Amino acid sequence: MTDEYYMNIALELANSVKGQTTPNPPVGAVIVKDGCIIGIGAHLKSGGAHAEVLAVEMAGKEANGATIYVTLEPCSHFGKTPPCTDMLIHHSIKRVVIATVDQHHQVSGNGIKNLQAAGIEVVQGILKEKADQLYEHFFCFITKMLPYITLKVAMTMDGKIATRNGDSKWITSEAAREDVHFYRHQHDAILVGIGTILADNPKLTTRLTNGRNPLRMILDTHLRTPLDANIVIDNQAPTWIFVNNQVPKKRIALYESHANVEVIQLNSSKVDIKEVLKYVGNRDVMSIFVEGGAAIHGSFLQTGYFNEYICYIAPKLLGGEDAKTPITGAGVAYMTDAVSLEITTVTKVGEDIKVIARKEGE
């Protein structure tokens, strides 16, 4: 078997825990000796054993002289757990194959140097492109101290997200809606505006078998969220409501009497996207899935604070100048001011088309 074969297994292990390890990255490891897999591991949660440790524990004494395949450069510093490089050296691992280098300033090549200094053969860059895609959220977070932002919209072929009367159920197919829940599962938080809460009273949970519910973030300048809204009373996931500096403390207390609700009062008369993102970054929120509505998407577009845009396009036409569009706000005056995107994938999901694009330069 090739290095690529075993690294693919390690990447599958890492992908299986994506979304549950924040603020740590999801890592997979596979130990091979004499053509046989003798140990596997995946980092399950922050503060828990790293993937390399779990794989070595499974391999036991057979780890001596073996090859380990790791999706991310092993750590070389003391954090919540000891350095994985020291552990690999101690167990006489002969060869370490790494998909991509850790961009964290405390690692960033130091793990590789420590292993090589101990006489261990290190191979880098096996399936690097796949690994870099896996670590988009983590690398963005540790280099910018801001969460990775994914904007998601569902629209008709003529660019509408609702009829002139506001009816939007359902634009896309059940398969597309299930696909959205997969993204919720893999992001730390889901974000909507007060308009979505008032119109739909959503739960903003993940309806997948064994799915993980993300943190729910609501941008609600004047705290108009109903006290009986699902996101307030259902206790399915933590809810953070961002409000301005003019909301009375007594009103805030009504919401915070619910164990899962935290009202975060910002320092200005408006809820500023930049201030929100800095706040959540400082609280180790590594990725946010923005589901709208149109005004919220307009705010993210105007500020430029987003990394990825996912658009589900349904084979339907609504027409009408009063039908709702995915992004509102002032918009740009000239085509030269348009935000340029790079389309990375186009796939069919059920009856719909899913287009994924990233901002150029991201």
Side-chain angles (χ1 to χ4, degrees):
M1 298 294 183
T2 64
D3 285 343
E4 287 79 5
Y5 174 82
Y6 294 116
M7 188 60 78
N8 255 322
I9 297 174
L11 284 166
E12 287 176 4
L13 288 167
N15 267 301
S16 72
V17 296
K18 184 178 180 182
Q20 67 185 53
T21 62
T22 299
N24 293 350
V27 178
V30 174
I31 297 179
V32 177
K33 190 173 186 180
D34 298 328
C36 296
I37 295 175
I38 58 174
I40 61 173
H43 180 48
L44 299 178
K45 64 178 181 178
S46 177
H50 287 192
E52 300 96 315
V53 174
L54 295 171
V56 168
E57 286 179 352
M58 181 180 291
K61 294 180 180 179
E62 290 300 310
N64 189 322
T67 294
I68 186 169
Y69 295 83
V70 189
T71 55
L72 186 68
E73 177 185 7
C75 63
S76 55
H77 64 288
F78 282 89
K80 293 180 180 178
T81 59
C84 286
T85 51
D86 291 356
M87 183 271 302
L88 295 175
I89 293 167
H90 174 74
H91 285 276
S92 301
I93 291 289
K94 180 180 180 181
R95 183 169 178 259
V96 178
V97 183
I98 299 167
T100 194
V101 174
D102 193 339
Q103 294 183 18
H104 195 291
H105 69 279
Q106 290 182 301
V107 186
S108 194
N110 291 324
I112 293 170
K113 290 176 184 177
N114 290 354
L115 293 169
Q116 291 173 330
I120 296 174
E121 179 188 355
V122 178
V123 178
Q124 304 177 47
I126 302 299
L127 300 185
K128 182 180 186 300
E129 186 175 343
K130 281 188 176 182
D132 286 343
Q133 185 175 351
L134 170 67
Y135 294 117
E136 284 177 327
H137 297 181
F138 176 65
F139 287 162
C140 174
F141 178 70
I142 63 173
T143 57
K144 300 179 181 179
M145 283 309 297
L146 292 171
Y148 187 96
I149 306 297
T150 301
L151 305 184
K152 167 260 169 182
V153 300
M155 67 180 193
T156 61
M157 288 188 72
D158 55 341
K160 308 297 185 181
I161 63 170
T163 68
R164 67 177 186 272
N165 295 327
D167 182 22
S168 60
K169 294 190 184 315
W170 292 101
I171 287 177
T172 53
S173 63
E174 185 175 346
R177 298 197 297 276
E178 183 174 346
D179 195 58
V180 168
H181 286 277
F182 178 76
Y183 284 105
R184 289 184 179 184
H185 168 75
Q186 290 200 329
H187 283 73
D188 294 334
I190 180 172
L191 183 149
V192 301
I194 180 58
T196 297
I197 298 300
L198 295 175
D200 300 332
N201 189 24
K203 292 185 177 181
L204 303 179
T205 52
T206 301
R207 291 183 286 280
L208 297 176
T209 302
N210 298 319
R212 184 188 60 85
N213 289 332
L215 163 70
R216 301 176 291 196
M217 294 170 49
I218 316 301
L219 304 190
D220 183 5
T221 303
H222 305 293
L223 194 49
R224 294 187 293 146
T225 298
L227 279 166
D228 61 351
N230 285 321
I231 53 119
V232 174
I233 65 174
D234 68 5
N235 291 316
Q236 294 297 303
T239 298
W240 292 358
I241 305 175
F242 292 85
V243 302
N244 72 4
N245 59 4
Q246 298 172 18
V247 176
K249 300 295 184 184
K250 287 185 178 180
R251 179 157 177 77
I252 290 174
L254 296 175
Y255 293 83
E256 294 194 329
S257 64
H258 296 270
N260 68 304
V261 178
E262 183 176 348
V263 178
I264 298 156
Q265 194 158 29
L266 301 177
N267 297 319
S268 62
S269 59
K270 64 177 183 178
V271 174
D272 180 73
I273 294 291
K274 184 176 182 180
E275 189 177 357
V276 169
L277 296 184
K278 284 188 175 180
Y279 176 88
V280 300
N282 287 333
R283 291 190 63 175
D284 288 338
V285 175
M286 199 158 69
S287 60
I288 302 175
F289 193 56
V290 181
E291 292 203 40
I296 294 297
H297 282 106
S299 297
F300 277 92
L301 179 65
Q302 183 177 359
T303 59
Y305 286 107
F306 74 95
N307 304 87
E308 187 174 45
Y309 188 84
I310 299 177
C311 182
Y312 294 88
I313 305 171
K316 298 175 182 176
L317 300 172
L318 295 181
E321 61 183 19
D322 293 329
K324 313 301 180 183
T325 57
I327 301 176
T328 57
V332 300
Y334 302 100
M335 284 301 300
T336 52
D337 298 324
V339 176
S340 294
L341 305 177
E342 177 188 0
I343 294 176
T344 57
T345 61
V346 179
T347 54
K348 192 170 183 182
V349 181
E351 301 170 357
D352 310 309
I353 298 295
K354 179 173 72 171
V355 180
I356 301 178
R358 293 182 177 85
K359 280 173 61 181
E360 288 189 353
E362 292 293 330

